[in-house]
């Protein structure tokens, strides 16, 4: 079994898998370590070759776990990592990346993101990203949790942003009003984190009804709903192999117009601008 071959194109011309692997909350319990590593390795086997992590996750321990999981398989992986905003000065960005590389045990990161906006000007962070690219330590850079005004400002500084990683799922549709359309116009893909709202969507009657029609779970339908859009990829967290298999199967669910209408009735599309939500 492998996932759907659908991919998402970045402005650089590189393609990334539409469905990847998130690692938020990984490496927080020693007893789950072997299971979490097995989940990541199975994900790679199933074609979910984008792995997302961050220096913030478990204070760097998640990066160490990812490094162990991909040891000997680095060439298969599109590796995404993030710098904390208070580290994101020009020199601080470089130092943070070097520390992440050491924990990961790799020589480069494919896509390095500003985790959210802080007080440090974009110019400084982007200069740090440029230094890292020149040194061969990262291939591309992007951002996370930036709303429309932030993105507009960012693009006055540089046109090199490759993605905006945001909270997006049926219960968090605010970005559809203005942020996602603007990103689409700029050919900047969306990377959706928490696409099943950390499990809080599992009891929704509309998702459950659609799931029964597809012999699927509500979580799979929520994930298929996120993946229905071109230019959007998703990075659900799955800490055990069975959950990874279920996520992989969601990539092949084709939602019908009736399915979409029922989900829309339960989770209406936004009719006005909303502040970007974060978890």
């Amino acid at each position: 079994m492998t996932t759907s071959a659908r991919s998402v194109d970045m402005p650089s011309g590189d393609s990334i898998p539409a469905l990847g692997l998130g690692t938020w909350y990984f490496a927080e319990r020693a007893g789950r370590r072997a299971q979490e590593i097995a989940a990541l390795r199975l994900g790679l086997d199933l074609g979910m070759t984008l792995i997302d992590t961050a220096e913030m996750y478990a204070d760097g321990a998640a990066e160490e776990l990812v490094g162990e999981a991909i040891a000997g398989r680095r060439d298969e992986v599109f590796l995404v990592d993030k710098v904390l905003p208070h580290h994101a000065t020009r020199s601080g960005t470089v130092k943070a990346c070097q520390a992440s590389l050491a924990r990961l045990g790799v020589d480069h990161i494919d896509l390095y993101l500003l985790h959210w906006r802080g007080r440090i000007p974009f110019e400084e962070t982007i200069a740090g990203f440029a230094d890292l690219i020149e040194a061969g330590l990262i291939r591309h850079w992007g951002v996370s949790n930036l709303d429309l005004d932030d993105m507009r400002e960012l693009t006055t500084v540089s046109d090199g942003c490759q993605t905006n990683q945001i909270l997006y799922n049926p219960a968090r549709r605010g970005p559809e009003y203005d942020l996602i359309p603007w990103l689409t116009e700029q050919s900047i893909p969306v990377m959706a984190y928490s696409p099943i709202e950390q499990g809080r969507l599992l009891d929704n009657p509309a998702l459950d009804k659609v799931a029964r029609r597809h012999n699927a779970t509500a979580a799979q339908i929520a994930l298929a709903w996120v993946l229905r859009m071109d230019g959007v990829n998703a990075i659900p967290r799955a800490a055990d192999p069975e959950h990874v298999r279920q996520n992989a199967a969601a990539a092949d669910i084709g939602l019908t117009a009736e399915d979409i209408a029922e989900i829309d009735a339960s989770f209406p599309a936004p009719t006005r601008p909303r502040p970007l939500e974060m978890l």
Side-chain angles (χ1 to χ4, degrees):
M1 174 185 175
T2 58
T3 66
S4 169
R6 189 169 76 82
S7 60
V8 174
D9 293 332
M10 299 192 303
S12 67
D14 286 53
S15 294
I16 56 177
L19 183 59
L21 299 159
T23 62
W24 196 7
Y25 297 117
F26 273 45
E28 295 189 353
R29 296 184 186 176
R32 297 193 311 203
R33 185 178 186 83
Q35 179 176 276
E36 290 168 346
I37 289 172
L40 292 177
R41 289 175 175 167
L42 176 62
L44 296 183
D45 294 339
L46 297 178
M48 302 162 70
T49 54
L50 184 152
I51 297 180
D52 174 85
T53 191
E55 63 170 336
M56 183 187 80
Y57 299 166
D59 292 326
E63 293 173 318
E64 294 173 350
L65 186 149
V66 169
E68 183 175 344
I70 68 174
R73 304 184 67 173
R74 175 66 183 93
D75 290 347
E76 300 175 42
V77 180
F78 188 93
L79 188 57
V80 183
D81 209 327
K82 308 182 200 70
V83 57
L84 284 163
H86 59 272
H87 290 162
T89 62
R90 181 172 185 168
S91 62
T93 297
V94 172
K95 290 176 182 177
C97 184
Q98 291 170 331
S100 289
L101 289 168
R103 289 188 291 268
L104 289 160
V106 301
D107 62 4
H108 74 280
I109 290 164
D110 295 293
L111 180 60
Y112 197 43
L113 311 181
L114 174 65
H115 207 150
W116 65 87
R117 186 171 192 180
R119 297 182 178 180
I120 295 167
F122 286 141
E123 289 87 348
E124 284 203 42
T125 307
I126 292 171
F129 289 151
D131 292 340
L132 289 165
I133 290 172
E134 184 176 2
L137 300 182
I138 67 171
R139 294 180 56 225
H140 309 290
W141 64 268
V143 295
S144 181
N145 295 303
L146 263 61
D147 212 340
L148 181 56
D149 288 344
D150 293 324
M151 288 302 304
R152 284 176 168 156
E153 181 183 341
L154 179 74
T155 55
T156 67
V157 178
S158 172
D159 61 359
C161 181
Q162 299 298 308
T163 195
N164 186 7
Q165 185 181 116
I166 59 173
L167 176 62
Y168 180 58
N169 61 52
R172 309 278 189 161
R173 297 185 66 173
E176 290 180 18
Y177 186 82
D178 49 12
L179 178 59
I180 291 178
W182 185 89
L183 291 168
T184 300
E185 289 177 0
Q186 305 297 315
S187 299
I188 298 174
V190 170
M191 187 174 291
Y193 74 83
S194 296
I196 58 173
E197 188 70 7
Q198 299 182 344
R200 288 186 287 271
L201 297 178
L202 302 186
D203 296 327
N204 179 265
L207 292 176
D208 186 60
K209 182 179 178 181
V210 174
R212 289 197 300 271
R213 282 204 292 268
H214 289 271
N215 193 27
T217 67
Q220 288 174 313
I221 297 304
L223 188 51
W225 182 90
V226 171
L227 294 172
R228 81 199 188 284
M229 296 177 61
D230 291 335
V232 176
N233 85 311
I235 48 168
R237 177 181 66 90
D240 68 81
E242 180 54 32
H243 191 183
V244 171
R245 290 187 186 278
Q246 291 178 9
N247 287 348
D252 294 321
I253 295 174
L255 298 178
T256 67
E258 180 184 4
D259 296 333
I260 297 295
E262 291 181 4
I263 294 170
D264 285 348
S266 185
F267 301 100
T271 58
R272 56 180 175 79
R274 297 179 187 173
L276 184 65
E277 298 176 284
M278 294 175 57
L279 288 178

